[in-house]
Amino acid sequence: MKILFYDAKKYDIDSFDKELADYASIEIEYLDADINVRTAALAKGYDAVCAFVSSDLSAPVLEVLHEEGVGLILLRCAGFNNVDLEKAKELGLTVLRVPGYSPEAVAEHAMTLAMSVNRRIHKEYIKVRENNFSLEGLMGINFYGKTAGIIGTGKIGAAMARICRGFGMRVIAYDKYPNPSLDFIEYKELEEVFREGDLISLHCPLTIDNYHMINAKTISLMKDQVVLVNTSRGELVDTDDLIAGIRAHKFHGVGLDVYEEESGNVFENREADIMEHSVTARLLSFPNVIVTSHQAFFTEEAMEAISHTTLENALGYEKGEIPTGNQV
């Protein structure tokens, strides 16, 4: 099996090459470029392509892949909202993903964002480097004894809930399908979670129903000085409404590993660029906001799991034994 790997970074190559030693029947060609209508034509002669959650797998791209003889799309990620699944089904393309790699990696980063923005670590780091040891502007809040509101209690949300419980927090949550094993969680209606949470952390996939679930209305339900964290999908949050809420002093802090219009920035060095959109600059202008670079998943353990599962997906497809649990 021949796989064309798009948008390959050094850490991708290192991780996949390490695992590839155990898969003699699979060959991988790595490309710097990400997939789009033009670069999709490079997949001629390949059985599969490998792409990430920020890659363009819209209908026009899928049509080119199909024309070039590609039968398999390997997503080295859990999310698949960037794939036109109807078009993939129409063309007979198989789409396989990595539904779970390291829930703890993402949950730990979510809490890192919450704690860092709460205690203003990003500001203090810069101040101390300039020999400024003043405490002005650094006041935090105790998480102990407060209420954590978890939106979505799948593997990542469950891991975040356990972390919050370890901090001595009361944990409430909303999920269409409550997890009975999390017996310490109080499941509530979504509006109740927004109203009661001192820390609100998003851990749900992006769907038509929850697009912009954080908006002017839901923000108005939240407590004053709430901490909001998003490590899931940028489109869960209406950025304009979030910025209005920040300017209205609604939030003690906001931690974002994902945000709207991030696709051109993800994993790229854009130090010398003039940014096309103002979203990032606007968010970074606030002293109580931390934005990280879609890095919540990025641990050694997670990369190893992503590489292994992706190659197992490819091997299963090659053998005609498609892992249905990973198929979308």
Side-chain angles (χ1 to χ4, degrees):
M1 166 171 279
K2 295 179 65 177
I3 301 171
L4 188 59
F5 193 115
Y6 284 91
D7 196 23
K9 308 296 190 222
K10 184 179 183 302
Y11 47 80
D12 291 314
I13 297 170
D14 290 345
S15 181
F16 272 80
D17 278 353
K18 184 178 178 180
E19 290 290 323
L20 197 59
D22 297 327
Y23 297 86
S25 65
I26 297 176
E27 298 178 16
I28 298 180
E29 181 74 23
Y30 297 101
L31 286 183
D32 288 336
D34 205 348
I35 192 168
N36 54 47
V37 173
R38 294 177 60 190
T39 60
L42 298 173
K44 184 175 183 178
Y46 290 85
D47 303 293
V49 297
C50 185
F52 196 64
V53 70
S54 55
S55 301
D56 178 5
L57 292 167
S58 58
V61 174
L62 297 182
E63 287 173 352
V64 175
L65 292 176
H66 176 66
E67 290 170 6
E68 301 299 350
V70 172
L72 173 64
I73 296 172
L74 295 165
L75 297 173
R76 56 186 189 272
C77 53
F80 52 89
N81 55 281
N82 58 322
V83 185
D84 189 323
L85 294 177
E86 288 188 10
K87 177 58 69 171
K89 183 177 181 180
E90 176 189 322
L91 297 173
L93 294 170
T94 299
V95 182
L96 298 175
R97 66 181 181 126
V98 184
Y101 34 91
S102 179
E104 291 76 20
V106 180
E108 288 172 12
H109 190 76
M111 183 52 85
T112 298
L113 283 172
M115 289 299 298
S116 297
V117 77
N118 172 27
R119 304 306 296 266
R120 307 292 192 254
I121 300 299
H122 58 305
K123 290 177 61 65
E124 180 65 354
Y125 174 75
I126 295 171
K127 288 175 67 171
V128 170
R129 284 174 63 88
E130 299 296 329
N131 297 327
N132 180 353
F133 304 100
S134 165
L135 296 182
E136 291 298 323
L138 304 179
M139 181 73 75
I141 59 174
N142 283 6
F143 279 169
Y144 177 81
K146 298 295 197 307
T147 297
I150 311 297
I151 312 297
T153 54
K155 292 181 179 179
I156 297 173
M160 181 61 170
R162 287 190 287 268
I163 291 172
C164 292
R165 185 192 189 197
F167 270 67
M169 303 183 79
R170 169 189 176 224
V171 183
I172 62 175
Y174 169 79
D175 198 305
K176 287 184 178 179
Y177 308 99
N179 186 340
S181 69
L182 301 172
D183 56 4
F184 60 91
I185 287 181
E186 300 173 53
Y187 280 97
K188 294 178 173 285
E189 294 300 317
L190 185 58
E191 287 194 1
E192 292 181 284
V193 175
F194 285 137
R195 290 182 190 278
E196 297 181 30
D198 298 289
L199 164 64
I200 294 175
S201 193
L202 307 182
H203 300 285
C204 47
L206 178 66
T207 67
I208 295 174
D209 294 334
N210 64 21
Y211 176 79
H212 280 181
M213 69 185 301
I214 304 299
N215 53 50
K217 179 181 178 180
T218 54
I219 290 171
S220 71
L221 298 176
M222 297 178 190
K223 291 182 178 182
D224 290 340
Q225 297 304 294
V226 65
V227 174
L228 174 68
V229 173
N230 186 12
T231 54
S232 294
R233 291 291 176 265
E235 292 81 4
L236 293 173
V237 179
D238 185 316
T239 308
D240 289 333
D241 288 355
L242 175 65
I243 288 172
I246 295 168
R247 286 178 169 155
H249 303 279
K250 184 69 174 180
F251 298 95
H252 176 70
V254 176
L256 304 174
D257 190 52
V258 292
Y259 52 93
E260 292 187 291
E261 300 177 359
E262 71 172 334
S263 57
N265 300 338
V266 175
F267 311 145
E268 301 299 328
N269 183 349
R270 306 200 60 192
E271 290 177 347
D273 294 351
I274 296 174
M275 305 296 275
E276 300 91 342
H277 307 291
S278 63
V279 169
T280 311
R282 289 163 72 197
L283 289 170
L284 291 174
S285 69
F286 300 110
N288 60 338
V289 175
I290 293 180
V291 177
T292 54
S293 185
H294 208 120
Q295 70 181 77
F297 78 99
F298 196 48
T299 65
E300 292 180 6
E301 293 83 355
M303 287 299 296
E304 180 180 345
I306 288 169
S307 304
H308 177 76
T309 303
T310 301
L311 292 172
E312 282 293 307
N313 284 343
L315 187 63
Y317 176 85
E318 183 184 32
K319 292 180 175 180
E321 301 171 357
I322 294 174
T324 55
N326 297 347
Q327 189 170 9
V328 293

